Amino acid sequence: MSRLKLNKQKKQKKLAAFCTLWLHILNMVSWYIQAVQAVISIHLDSCPTRPRYKMFYPERKEYMHRLVYESDETCLHQLRMNRATFVSLCNMMEMGGRLKASKYLEVDEQVAIFLYVLAHHVKNRVVKFYFRRSGETISKYFNKVLNAVIRLESELFKKPEPISETSTDERWKWFKGCLGAIDGTHISVQVPEEDKPRYRNRKGEITTNVLAACTPDMHFIYVLPGWEGSAADGRILRSAMIRENGLQVPKGNYYLVDAGYTNGEGFLAPFRGQRYHLNTWLNGQKPEKPEEYFNMKHSAARNVIERCFGVLKKRWAILRSPSFYPIRTQNKIILACCLVHNFIRREMAYDPLDDEELIDTNNDANDEDLGSHVDNITTIGTSNEWTNFRQNLAISMFNAWISRHH
């Protein structure tokens, strides 16, 4: 019996020694892994762009460096913004857009992929070649960044400010209380065959009719994509006003609109049957009556929305031809392009596209020579009060012009 107890004790001692040895081995392995991780962490912290994958894929590091970080000129041409603005956008995406880095893809590369697609409208297979990623990865992170931009909508849309009584701006000083201009533009889209009749506009093209409001300094206030190309501008505007979180026009303020909209409270349209477009005033021609002078000044101010659309389409090639995404994604892309446009104009002291005369002509404007808590306007309709307001404004503008020139 005593011999059996002795053998049992020996076995227990051997087992204890074996377990102790393995614990020491595991502790050494754990210490080694922690040391390696510390070295990698120090290496990554010293890298200004912080991508964890770059030490393993040098060609990606080289491409990102040339695309974004080498010079402002390259970054501007390829991604439509300078390096400082790009870094600010990445930071905003992380904080407000809840965009997260993955194990092998940092936020800066995700944003670069997104902007590159918008700026150049290239197919998935082209982007995956340049960025050395799979097509699935490109598609996945494009949509992630797209959704992150949409989440920043309330922060990136500009809050409207009415033209003040003391304004000296030659284009806007007569339109006291005006918030900006509203118009629609047509953007080509791809839709299923059965939906094409609804999206066919009066020019026979398959488009979506996008309503937008902008400030005098060409920042978007509100954008409503998604309506079919056959929809009338007035119908889209009424839809925008009755939507939750839709277009809001405080009483006492208004937007400039073209003759395709009703001249009613909150929406100041030009006189019909009078000369309107700016090119009709070339070669020294002068207005002969109040309605013509009003239309000339109205056209000069409202032209800001046409220039805004022109700059938007010049900046983002994806808006100049039908894209390859489902229609719902295409509508989100249109909204995201407007939001990033606002961010660029807010962050960059100088926008190179301001030097170009860019006017959007792809809209349904009538081509004939006309041609905190607040109470908001909720309906669109003519009224004697609003008609008299426009007429009195036209007379005062014309009389001031006459007195100045005679």
Side-chain angles (χ1 to χ4, degrees):
M1 183 65 67
S2 60
R3 188 176 296 175
L4 289 174
K5 287 182 180 180
L6 184 60
N7 291 336
K8 188 176 181 180
Q9 290 176 355
K10 287 182 179 179
K11 288 181 180 179
Q12 289 175 345
K13 287 181 180 180
K14 287 182 179 179
L15 181 61
F18 182 77
C19 292
T20 303
L21 176 63
W22 271 106
L23 285 174
H24 283 302
I25 293 173
L26 290 174
N27 285 334
M28 291 178 65
V29 171
S30 176
W31 176 86
Y32 177 77
I33 292 174
Q34 289 176 3
V36 171
Q37 288 176 339
V39 171
I40 294 175
S41 177
I42 293 170
H43 174 80
L44 292 177
D45 288 341
S46 66
C47 181
T49 55
R50 302 171 291 113
R52 282 170 281 199
Y53 58 82
K54 290 187 176 180
M55 62 183 296
F56 304 109
Y57 299 96
E59 70 277 6
R60 292 176 185 166
K61 175 181 179 179
E62 174 63 22
Y63 183 71
M64 276 295 293
H65 176 74
R66 287 189 293 106
L67 183 70
V68 179
Y69 300 106
E70 191 170 63
S71 70
D72 277 337
E73 182 180 6
T74 302
C75 191
L76 191 63
H77 287 164
Q78 298 300 323
L79 305 181
R80 304 302 190 248
M81 61 185 70
N82 60 29
R83 291 174 292 180
T85 304
F86 177 81
V87 172
S88 296
L89 180 60
C90 291
N91 292 336
M92 179 182 282
M93 291 287 192
E94 287 187 279
M95 292 184 291
R98 303 196 300 275
L99 189 64
K100 303 296 183 184
S102 66
K103 185 177 180 181
Y104 296 109
L105 204 68
E106 280 290 332
V107 167
D108 61 344
E109 188 178 6
Q110 297 177 36
V111 176
I113 289 170
F114 176 75
L115 294 175
Y116 191 85
V117 173
L118 297 189
H120 302 282
H121 192 197
V122 289
K123 293 185 177 181
N124 186 289
R125 62 174 177 264
V126 177
V127 183
K128 77 174 188 178
F129 172 78
Y130 285 128
F131 284 87
R132 302 292 195 271
R133 297 288 181 181
S134 69
E136 181 182 0
T137 298
I138 296 296
S139 178
K140 175 183 175 181
Y141 287 99
F142 176 87
N143 283 282
K144 278 195 171 186
V145 179
L146 177 61
N147 291 327
V149 173
I150 301 299
R151 282 194 287 269
L152 295 169
E153 180 178 348
S154 60
E155 187 174 346
L156 291 177
F157 273 141
K158 187 166 185 179
K159 304 297 184 292
E161 298 177 2
I163 301 299
S164 68
E165 294 289 335
T166 58
S167 174
T168 57
D169 189 309
E170 283 299 318
R171 290 177 184 264
W172 292 92
K173 65 181 182 180
W174 284 105
F175 302 104
K176 306 291 191 295
C178 182
L179 301 173
I182 287 177
D183 202 2
T185 186
H186 286 263
I187 295 176
S188 298
V189 292
Q190 293 272 13
V191 295
E193 196 67 33
E194 60 271 18
D195 292 333
K196 285 186 177 180
R198 293 189 293 115
Y199 283 87
R200 196 180 306 278
N201 64 18
R202 66 178 187 170
K203 296 179 181 179
E205 300 167 346
I206 307 302
T207 63
T208 179
N209 194 351
V210 181
L211 176 80
C214 78
T215 62
D217 58 352
M218 295 174 61
H219 286 75
F220 286 105
I221 299 169
Y222 178 80
V223 177
L224 177 60
W227 275 85
E228 300 89 339
S230 60
D233 289 344
R235 180 185 176 192
I236 301 173
L237 179 58
R238 285 191 291 273
S239 170
M241 295 187 67
I242 63 176
R243 288 169 178 257
E244 185 180 1
N245 300 321
L247 178 66
Q248 296 181 349
V249 187
K251 290 189 176 182
N253 299 122
Y254 58 91
Y255 286 96
L256 301 184
V257 296
D258 65 21
Y261 299 91
T262 301
N263 180 62
E265 185 183 10
F267 304 96
L268 188 62
F271 289 95
R272 289 180 176 273
Q274 308 294 332
R275 289 184 292 176
Y276 179 70
H277 296 293
L278 290 176
N279 56 13
T280 63
W281 306 107
L282 301 176
N283 303 321
Q285 296 189 58
K286 296 181 179 180
E288 299 175 354
K289 49 187 175 179
E291 292 81 4
E292 286 189 351
Y293 187 76
F294 175 89
N295 277 10
M296 182 180 73
K297 302 302 286 185
H298 185 284
S299 177
R302 195 198 64 82
N303 191 52
V304 67
I305 187 67
E306 306 291 354
R307 289 186 288 119
C308 205
F309 285 142
V311 168
L312 183 74
K313 293 179 180 180
K314 177 70 173 179
R315 195 188 308 278
W316 309 119
I318 200 168
L319 301 181
R320 300 199 293 265
S321 59
S323 62
F324 322 106
Y325 300 92
I327 185 61
R328 185 175 178 181
T329 303
Q330 291 180 68
N331 291 330
K332 291 167 72 174
I333 287 172
I334 293 169
L335 179 57
C337 286
C338 296
L339 294 172
V340 180
H341 164 92
N342 275 13
F343 182 82
I344 291 172
R345 293 190 68 84
R346 187 180 78 185
E347 295 293 320
M348 287 178 58
Y350 165 68
D351 186 352
L353 294 180
D354 282 344
D355 292 339
E356 303 183 29
E357 272 304 312
L358 299 169
I359 303 295
D360 177 52
T361 57
N362 197 7
N363 57 47
D364 264 345
N366 197 336
D367 292 330
E368 64 177 323
D369 251 344
L370 309 168
S372 51
H373 176 74
V374 294
D375 290 331
N376 293 316
I377 298 167
T378 56
T379 59
I380 306 172
T382 57
S383 67
N384 291 332
E385 181 182 1
W386 194 253
T387 301
N388 292 335
F389 166 74
R390 181 177 66 171
Q391 188 65 45
N392 293 335
L393 179 58
I395 292 171
S396 63
M397 292 167 65
F398 186 70
N399 289 341
W401 178 72
I402 290 293
S403 64
R404 220 169 37 244
H405 287 78
H406 296 83

